[in-house]
Amino acid sequence: MAPYIYTSFVSTLFFALFVIQTLEFSHSKTFTNVSCIVAEREALLKFKQDLIDPSRRLWSWTSKDCCEWEGVECNKKTGHVTKLDLRNPCGGIECSLGGKTHLALNELKHLKYLDLSFNNFSTQKFPESLASLQKLEYLNLSSAGFYGQISNEVSNLSSLQYLDVSNLWYWPSITIENLRWLSTFSNLKYLSMSYVPLLNPKDWLSPINMLSSLEFLILRGCDLEDALGSFSVNFTSLRFLDMSHNSMNSSIPPWFQNLTKLEHLDLSGNDLQGIFPTVILANSRSFRHLDVFNNRLEGEILKNMSILCNLQVLSLRWNKFSGRISDSKDSALICGQSNLKTIDVSGNNFSGQLPNQFGNFKDLEFLDFSSNLISGSIPAIVGQLSSLRKLCLFSNKLSGYLPESIGQLFNLEEMDIRNNQLEGVVSELHFANLTSLTMLYFYLNELELNISASWVPSFQLQKISMSGCKVGPRFPNWLRTQRNISVLYMSNASISDEVPHWLPNVLSNIEHLDLSGNMLTGNISRIIGKKIPLLKSVSLSRNNLSGSIPNSLCMSDELDFLDISKNQLSGRLPQCWRKSQTNLELISLGDNKLNGHVPYSLCHLERLGVLGLHENDLSGVLPKCLLKLDLVALDLSNNQFSGRIPSFGRHSQSFEIIDLKRNYFTGDIPLQLCHLDNLRYLSLAHNNLSGGIPHCFNNFSLMWANSNFTPYRRFPLGFAIMVDMKGASREFTTSLRYLFSIDLSSNALDGQIPKGLTWLAQLENLNLSHNKLIGEIPANIGNLRKLESLDLSYNKFSGGIPPSISNLDSLGRLDLSFNKLSGRVPSSNHLTTLDDQFFYRGNDGLCGAPFLKVCPGEEHNDKEGRGGHNTIKDESNEGNSIVVWLYSGFGPGFIVAILGFYCILLLKPSWRISYFQAVDRIIVELSILG
């Protein structure tokens, strides 16, 4: 719930409390004060004996006159105790009373007011003895910690006007079997049972319907299943109704239309659907608060804004409402005078343009039109909303310039216009009087900041997000005046400058920092050289920062994300990682100039999920303790690591991505890899591995056809890997979470392809090239239907190409060259798009298309099919004779012969094809001999 909506909710509650608490508790002061009744004093002392009072709230319960005790009030005339208010005064557990409620409390027969709320009686069942206090008018047991069911004997409290048994803390909750005991409460005006589960919720409305005096009904989070559509209600005096956070999977029932005195309606957090009945609003002139957040309601509720003009709070966010808000022909938001303080219609399908009638909303504090389909420009009249504190217009289709009038909103605390199509220059005028501004979100627009170096802003920002805007080329000098920044996002901001010396002072309270994708130069210690105790995430990738990685990062116990890849950093990795850094989940240091070994202290980071050290000069043997980390992704590619590949999978089975390509690893592929059920990317290419491909690779169950793959697990956004695929190397970032790939190329692997490898039906890339693999290509290779790239080149495969390879409809690259394959090349509609001899070269035994070589036994059929034309064999012979003639033609008649030869090639297509085919064979044979 938005903070302003919640404030309105609380203020209404306090009003209800004031009304109810003042009922019949004020008595004439003309009577002489009378001391409390002795028996009632003794009862209170017995009650105190069973209480636990850590903060000594009841220290005054020692004097003779109990009417003077803290929390006790007496009738001025009779001396009887009428009020016992032991509500927790501070809201924290340190002030709460505990223990048990003594039965002596029943002696207070004249008690009208009892408040035990927000204490901790979690060792006691609901006190049934309270049913003897038949004069009670006010009973508040909210979050008191009682457990068990409410007894039907409570129905004896027929004088109750106020009843609150809600549970807003984390204590055990009471439960309610049914609500029949409510039927005797004919005077009840206030009923709250928030977060008290109803064990039989199907018939909840019938008992409540008998409470004709009810004005406040709060059933928040009571596990209600529906709103009981066909029902005629009697509690038409209801002013405040909160049925939020239940499980109501229905439409809004018609009986809501009978609540003509309703002022506050909260139905948020349900599964309500269908058209919202606006007649509910039209029937009550007193309507002030409507909240239907997070449902599936529909309709064009803003079409007739006149019925909303009396509202103070309107929250429609995250539904399916639609319709135009306003355009040049239709000004739907016209209200002569509006009391609205909150408009939140975010997360719907509203379209049209922002209205030009905002001048009528003088009291508006919260305006949120985000995540809709609103287009057009931001009207300049927005600058007249002098009370506005929060402006959210993000994720729409807004275009045009940002109006300078927005700089007049001196009460504005948050401006969020990200993810639109806004353009143009933003100058000091746009911030002229924004003295209250603390949060500014500009990113994902085409805005350009033109701020002078001498400008001193009138605000102190806490959160700044300008990623993707043109902030540079100079580093913004106005930032040096800011002292409260906790979030600074300026990635891809066209800054090409040296890091200023004053930046560490500005970042002393930083929690989230992103300056990636700029051209920042200078030593990285100018940014994170000092201890930053609150730092949670930092991204400085894709800059030109130099120096060594600061040890101050080891002092940041809150750090969970570190990406300083793609810079010019040098030196060794920090040795100071600590066990106290329990939040750190991602470290990306790739594409730098780091050297040395991987430190053992990295193993202290027990929650580390992603480790990227690629493209450095790191060397040595990997620490075995890394195997015990719960890693999801490990990229150590393009370094100088040596030794055997660690036994990944022996301890942790969480790996999804392992990239060890272009190192100096030796030995066999460890069988422990087969324990990695979640593995979907494995690259061991360009090492010195030997032995065979493990037969247990079929254990990679996440790659099976029927796997339940969920891409949004622990894998973080922003992490990238260079993937060799389709004959090229490209960077996978966002799409990396969907990639399935195995690359074992450029090693010395031998043996056959395990048949189980064809179980991995999710594979998109399979590269086994440049090894010593033998045997036949598996007959069911066609099971890998999602393959986009298959490279088996430069091995010793023999036999024919399996016909099932024609099933690979997604294939964009196929390379079977330089093996010992023979027989007909399979054909299919899709393979014809890959009909290139280049992918089959070096296999002399292959025949058929795309070769011109006829397969054995097909010469006669081919001759008949060509209708008497020269056969391929004849053309091949012609090609050989051409080559002989060409060499004999050198000599005195060279010029004439060469001109004649080119004329023949030009006029006879069969000679032309044969010639180039012969030349190609010569080149291939020379390359093999070489």
Side-chain angles (χ1 to χ4, degrees), residues 693 697-698 700 702-706 725 740-743 753-768 777-792 802-814 816 830-831 834:
I693 300 174
F697 267 23
N698 59 293
F700 299 149
L702 197 68
M703 300 192 197
W704 293 353
N706 59 349
M725 185 173 175
F740 293 82
S741 172
I742 292 180
D743 189 349
I753 296 179
K755 294 182 179 179
L757 204 62
T758 61
W759 291 16
L760 310 181
Q762 300 285 352
L763 267 180
E764 298 163 276
N765 178 44
L766 178 61
N767 192 344
L768 305 178
I777 298 173
N780 54 350
I781 191 75
N783 291 346
L784 306 180
R785 293 270 187 153
K786 294 188 177 181
L787 268 185
E788 298 179 17
S789 179
L790 174 62
D791 193 345
L792 303 179
S804 68
I805 206 167
S806 301
N807 298 332
L808 304 181
D809 295 333
S810 300
L811 207 59
R813 178 181 172 83
L814 171 68
L816 304 177
H830 181 69
L831 284 181
L834 308 175

Side-chain angles (χ1 to χ4, degrees), residues 348-367:
N348 283 283
N349 296 312
F350 291 117
S351 58
Q353 299 182 8
L354 293 175
N356 281 313
Q357 289 75 36
F358 276 127
N360 299 327
F361 296 83
K362 299 297 184 182
D363 297 328
L364 195 62
E365 299 179 6
F366 183 107
L367 179 61

Side-chain angles (χ1 to χ4, degrees), residues 240-409:
F240 188 106
L241 177 60
D242 184 348
M243 297 172 59
S244 60
H245 297 279
N246 283 288
S247 304
M248 293 186 291
N249 182 2
S250 64
S251 59
I252 297 178
W255 59 261
F256 275 63
Q257 302 176 23
N258 298 331
L259 306 178
T260 57
K261 296 183 179 180
L262 202 60
E263 300 173 12
H264 182 115
L265 177 61
D266 190 344
L267 300 174
S268 60
N270 283 288
D271 194 22
L272 295 169
Q273 51 207 274
I275 304 295
F276 179 83
T278 56
V279 66
I280 297 176
L281 306 177
N283 284 349
S284 176
R285 295 180 176 272
S286 303
F287 222 107
R288 295 291 182 269
H289 184 117
L290 175 63
D291 189 351
V292 292
F293 157 64
N294 196 18
N295 283 283
R296 292 189 289 160
L297 295 169
E298 304 175 38
E300 299 184 6
I301 192 171
L302 297 184
K303 188 174 182 180
N304 183 11
M305 190 63 185
S306 60
I307 63 174
L308 305 176
C309 289
N310 292 326
L311 285 175
Q312 293 180 353
V313 173
L314 173 63
S315 177
L316 309 177
R317 56 195 272 236
W318 297 115
N319 278 280
K320 297 182 177 181
F321 291 113
S322 59
R324 301 183 69 82
I325 291 179
S326 176
D327 55 28
S328 57
K329 298 180 181 179
D330 175 26
S331 300
L333 280 176
I334 291 179
C335 287
Q337 183 177 359
S338 173
N339 299 315
L340 275 165
K341 293 184 177 180
T342 295
I343 299 178
D344 187 350
V345 298
S346 59
N348 283 283
N349 296 312
F350 291 117
S351 58
Q353 299 182 8
L354 293 175
N356 281 313
Q357 289 75 36
F358 276 127
N360 299 327
F361 296 83
K362 299 297 184 182
D363 297 328
L364 195 62
E365 299 179 6
F366 183 107
L367 179 61
D368 192 343
F369 281 94
S370 59
S371 299
N372 278 285
L373 304 172
I374 301 171
S375 58
S377 59
I378 300 175
I381 202 169
V382 168
Q384 297 184 18
L385 301 176
S386 57
S387 300
L388 199 62
R389 296 167 58 191
K390 186 172 182 178
L391 175 63
C392 293
L393 304 174
F394 65 86
S395 297
N396 278 288
K397 298 180 179 181
L398 295 171
S399 58
Y401 302 134
L402 186 67
E404 293 180 350
S405 62
I406 211 165
Q408 303 304 313
L409 301 176

Side-chain angles (χ1 to χ4, degrees), residues 421-492:
Q421 301 164 19
L422 299 170
E423 58 184 354
V425 174
V426 178
S427 66
E428 292 105 327
L429 291 176
H430 291 88
F431 305 107
N433 294 314
L434 302 184
T435 55
S436 302
L437 195 65
T438 59
M439 288 176 275
L440 181 61
Y441 302 96
F442 272 9
Y443 69 94
L444 294 179
N445 282 289
E446 298 294 329
L447 298 172
E448 177 181 352
L449 268 73
N450 185 9
I451 307 292
S452 67
S454 59
W455 179 61
V456 177
S458 58
F459 47 71
Q460 284 290 322
L461 293 176
Q462 297 175 10
K463 298 180 180 180
I464 307 172
S465 181
M466 296 184 176
S467 296
C469 298
K470 187 177 180 182
V471 178
R474 301 298 301 273
F475 201 92
N477 195 58
W478 58 268
L479 277 178
R480 69 186 305 174
T481 66
Q482 306 297 297
R483 291 293 180 266
N484 301 322
I485 298 178
S486 62
V487 175
L488 177 58
Y489 291 153
M490 282 190 178
S491 63
N492 302 303

Side-chain angles (χ1 to χ4, degrees), residues 155-311:
S155 60
N156 294 335
L157 304 178
S158 58
S159 299
L160 274 182
Q161 298 182 40
Y162 183 107
L163 176 61
D164 190 344
V165 292
S166 58
N167 182 34
L168 304 180
W169 276 12
Y170 296 105
W171 306 133
S173 173
I174 62 173
T175 57
I176 297 177
E177 177 68 30
N178 58 66
L179 298 176
R180 294 172 189 164
W181 47 271
L182 282 174
S183 59
T184 61
F185 297 168
S186 58
N187 297 316
L188 196 64
K189 296 182 178 180
Y190 183 101
L191 175 61
S192 176
M193 298 189 297
S194 294
Y195 300 107
V196 174
L198 297 181
L199 302 182
N200 185 17
K202 292 184 178 181
D203 190 27
W204 62 271
L205 190 54
S206 295
I208 292 177
N209 195 38
M210 303 178 69
L211 308 178
S212 58
S213 300
L214 198 63
E215 296 182 13
F216 293 81
L217 177 59
I218 305 174
L219 300 175
R220 184 183 182 93
C222 293
D223 297 335
L224 303 181
E225 294 180 353
D226 58 58
L228 300 177
S230 56
F231 208 89
S232 178
V233 296
N234 295 322
F235 48 92
T236 54
S237 297
L238 204 64
R239 292 161 36 201
F240 188 106
L241 177 60
D242 184 348
M243 297 172 59
S244 60
H245 297 279
N246 283 288
S247 304
M248 293 186 291
N249 182 2
S250 64
S251 59
I252 297 178
W255 59 261
F256 275 63
Q257 302 176 23
N258 298 331
L259 306 178
T260 57
K261 296 183 179 180
L262 202 60
E263 300 173 12
H264 182 115
L265 177 61
D266 190 344
L267 300 174
S268 60
N270 283 288
D271 194 22
L272 295 169
Q273 51 207 274
I275 304 295
F276 179 83
T278 56
V279 66
I280 297 176
L281 306 177
N283 284 349
S284 176
R285 295 180 176 272
S286 303
F287 222 107
R288 295 291 182 269
H289 184 117
L290 175 63
D291 189 351
V292 292
F293 157 64
N294 196 18
N295 283 283
R296 292 189 289 160
L297 295 169
E298 304 175 38
E300 299 184 6
I301 192 171
L302 297 184
K303 188 174 182 180
N304 183 11
M305 190 63 185
S306 60
I307 63 174
L308 305 176
C309 289
N310 292 326
L311 285 175

Side-chain angles (χ1 to χ4, degrees), residues 24 48 115 122 384 399 432 477 484 522 527 563 596 611 649 652 711 798:
E24 300 184 19
K48 177 186 176 184
D115 190 341
S122 56
Q384 297 184 18
S399 58
N477 195 58
N484 301 322
I527 303 178
D563 186 357
L611 179 60
S652 174
S798 58

